[in-house]
Amino acid sequence: MRRVLMVTTFYPPYSFGGDAVDVQTWAGALARRGCEVTVVHDEDAYLALAPRPQPGHQPEPGVEVIGLRSPLGRAGLLLTHQTGRPMVHGARLRRLCAERQFDTVVFENVSLMGGPGIFSLCPDAVRVFVAIEHWLICPTHVLWRYDEQPCDERRCLRCTLHHRRPPQLWRHTGALERAAHDVDVFYARSAFSREKHRAYGFAPPMEVIPSFVEAPAASSGARPHERPYYLFVGRIEYLKGLADVLPLFTTDRGADLVIAGTGAAEASFRAMTAGSPYVRWLGFVPRHELGRWYRHARASLVPSTTYETFGIVVIEALSHGTPVIVRNRGPLPELAARGGGLVFDTPAELDAALRAVAHEPGLRERLSGDAERAFREHWSEEAVVPQFVASVDRARRRRLESSAASAGLGVRPV
């Protein structure tokens, strides 16, 4: 891998959540390994939903970022959304591929960059798709049926309309199945996500390569909050599970709840805690400022009620030696089982976990040690990136062997 193109809809500071963070993290890691990395994203997609870019963005050194805009604006986004093809930016992307001669293309959340029609981009490169969301099997990306419960059966048309989104015509034409042949490797971020794709009819095989975060710098700085606290980091949406957490902090339990993030449900949740001195709302916090909040928290709470594909905030917490308390859903228990985590099903079990971390002698210290070990072994850059590079190299080798076989030539083992 030397010249890498990463294609995504959202990228910081034109981004909302974990999908963009994942791309940014990988772009920086590949650049540090000597790759020439170019990231292309759609600024219009973000600006259709937010008035301005997120503040506090720090670009990754050595990464070229190209933000695309079109005079068609939202109309161009709708055209791509409905056709599943790069109708607006296709010509520019093809010129970029011809000029740069990329050897590897990484697709990640391309819903508004070109849908499955973009998979044919850069035909001479190894093309891989990373399922950071459930876009391949879910029109709303999140497997959250009727905006009220996890999706356990296909009711896509009614659910899409309930989410106030237009149905995507291309999903009923076999376009994804045909375009999948242009992708050399599909990656899931967790074993759970891979099995969910398979259960919902996605036929191509998927390899599991987890996400990672950079190891934090040495601990420094004073405690950012006067009292002991538990930390929630993420989008403030109903599917993220805060509704089960907030009632536990209406009275003094000896520790507060600190919430870092923004989202559509923020006003409603703030109203639930109005007047409570035990809940602190930070709003949006840039990634580089989150470390001190993680380090001093008793535990990081990840109560998501939907089926995540991974859980980036889980490994962010573990990287700082902060225990996690996660809901028993999706890949979250899969992550917690490897160290530094407690799992709950009900609000009563969550309450018990909070009390255990606070009062059970030695528990937090043991969980903290497990967290640091698990992070180093499973989710550090040094543990994860070589897996990805080796997998892409295998895909490149398969391509060469296939081309040689088609030409009637032999390829000697190396």
Side-chain angles (χ1 to χ4, degrees):
M1 299 175 63
R2 294 191 57 82
R3 294 178 298 278
V4 181
L5 173 64
M6 305 187 76
V7 184
T8 184
T9 296
F10 300 112
Y11 191 80
Y14 296 88
S15 62
F16 300 98
D19 58 334
V21 171
D22 189 84
V23 178
Q24 183 184 32
T25 301
W26 278 91
L30 294 175
R32 285 190 291 275
R33 279 160 172 74
C35 297
E36 300 173 15
V37 181
T38 300
V39 177
V40 181
H41 68 105
D42 194 314
E43 293 180 0
D44 287 332
Y46 175 83
L47 294 173
L49 301 170
R52 63 186 66 85
Q54 295 281 13
H57 170 61
Q58 292 187 334
E60 294 289 337
V63 176
E64 178 189 23
V65 179
I66 301 175
L68 301 181
R69 294 197 188 185
S70 163
L72 295 178
R74 293 192 180 197
L77 297 173
L78 180 62
L79 187 61
T80 297
H81 183 269
Q82 286 297 289
T83 63
R85 301 185 61 80
M87 305 295 287
V88 177
H89 301 307
R92 183 173 179 183
L93 290 170
R94 287 189 292 272
R95 287 197 302 271
L96 184 66
C97 285
E99 293 167 1
R100 304 293 180 85
Q101 295 294 299
F102 298 107
D103 58 61
T104 306
V105 181
V106 181
F107 300 110
E108 197 165 328
N109 186 13
V110 293
S111 58
L112 296 178
M113 278 294 291
I118 208 170
F119 292 167
S120 61
L121 194 66
C122 299
D124 294 329
V126 172
R127 294 172 290 197
V128 305
F129 181 92
V130 180
I132 190 61
E133 298 185 313
H134 286 117
W135 171 75
L136 290 170
I137 56 175
C138 175
T140 67
H141 301 216
V142 291
L143 291 178
W144 185 243
R145 192 168 71 237
Y146 305 149
D147 205 23
E148 61 184 24
Q149 61 184 332
C151 178
D152 290 316
E153 58 180 311
R154 306 300 290 270
R155 302 179 186 176
C156 297
L157 179 58
R158 289 176 58 193
C159 185
T160 300
L161 294 173
H162 189 90
H163 279 265
R164 298 183 179 180
R165 299 185 184 184
Q168 292 176 298
L169 303 180
W170 60 263
R171 288 187 181 270
H172 306 279
T173 66
L176 177 59
E177 291 76 9
R178 293 190 296 272
H181 294 290
D182 291 323
V183 176
D184 294 285
V185 189
F186 286 92
Y187 294 107
R189 285 297 188 225
S190 64
F192 170 86
S193 180
R194 178 176 60 185
E195 293 309 309
K196 205 67 176 175
H197 278 79
R198 184 177 299 161
Y200 275 65
F202 186 72
M206 303 182 82
E207 296 185 26
V208 175
I209 302 286
S211 291
F212 73 95
V213 294
E214 296 178 37
S219 177
S220 63
R223 176 188 294 272
H225 188 74
E226 182 177 350
R227 281 164 48 91
Y229 64 92
Y230 297 92
L231 181 66
F232 172 92
V233 176
R235 289 184 292 119
I236 313 302
E237 310 283 353
Y238 285 101
L239 55 78
K240 294 298 183 179
L242 264 179
D244 288 333
V245 178
L246 295 175
L248 301 179
F249 290 88
T250 56
T251 58
D252 189 359
R253 61 184 307 127
D256 297 338
L257 174 65
V258 174
I259 300 171
T262 60
E266 183 176 355
S268 175
F269 284 147
R270 280 181 179 262
M272 288 175 59
T273 61
S276 173
Y278 311 117
V279 178
R280 178 176 176 182
W281 297 84
L282 300 180
F284 174 79
V285 179
R287 286 179 65 203
H288 65 278
E289 295 181 10
L290 281 173
R292 63 193 184 109
W293 290 99
Y294 277 122
R295 274 194 297 272
H296 294 284
R298 276 186 176 172
S300 180
L301 309 184
V302 189
S304 182
T305 58
T306 191
Y307 295 129
E308 306 281 0
T309 55
F310 185 62
I312 198 72
V313 295
V314 173
I315 62 171
E316 281 183 345
L318 299 181
S319 75
H320 291 280
T322 302
V324 294
I325 302 176
V326 307
R327 191 184 297 272
N328 188 21
R329 185 156 296 165
L332 301 181
E334 178 183 332
L335 301 179
R338 288 190 164 182
L342 301 177
V343 178
F344 72 93
D345 278 298
T346 66
E349 291 178 357
L350 171 58
D351 182 52
L354 296 174
R355 294 181 185 279
V357 170
H359 302 298
E360 187 173 322
L363 177 61
R364 192 201 181 277
E365 290 73 18
R366 177 175 62 78
L367 292 177
S368 179
D370 290 344
E372 292 178 338
R373 172 195 52 76
F375 169 73
R376 290 192 305 270
E377 293 180 0
H378 302 295
W379 304 299
S380 64
E381 181 176 330
E382 293 74 19
V384 174
V385 176
Q387 297 178 46
F388 176 73
V389 173
S391 176
V392 173
D393 286 344
R394 290 194 297 271
R396 198 180 316 280
R397 176 65 178 174
R398 289 194 297 269
R399 257 181 171 255
L400 292 173
E401 291 173 345
S402 178
S403 297
S406 297
L409 302 175
V411 178
R412 290 185 300 173
V414 295

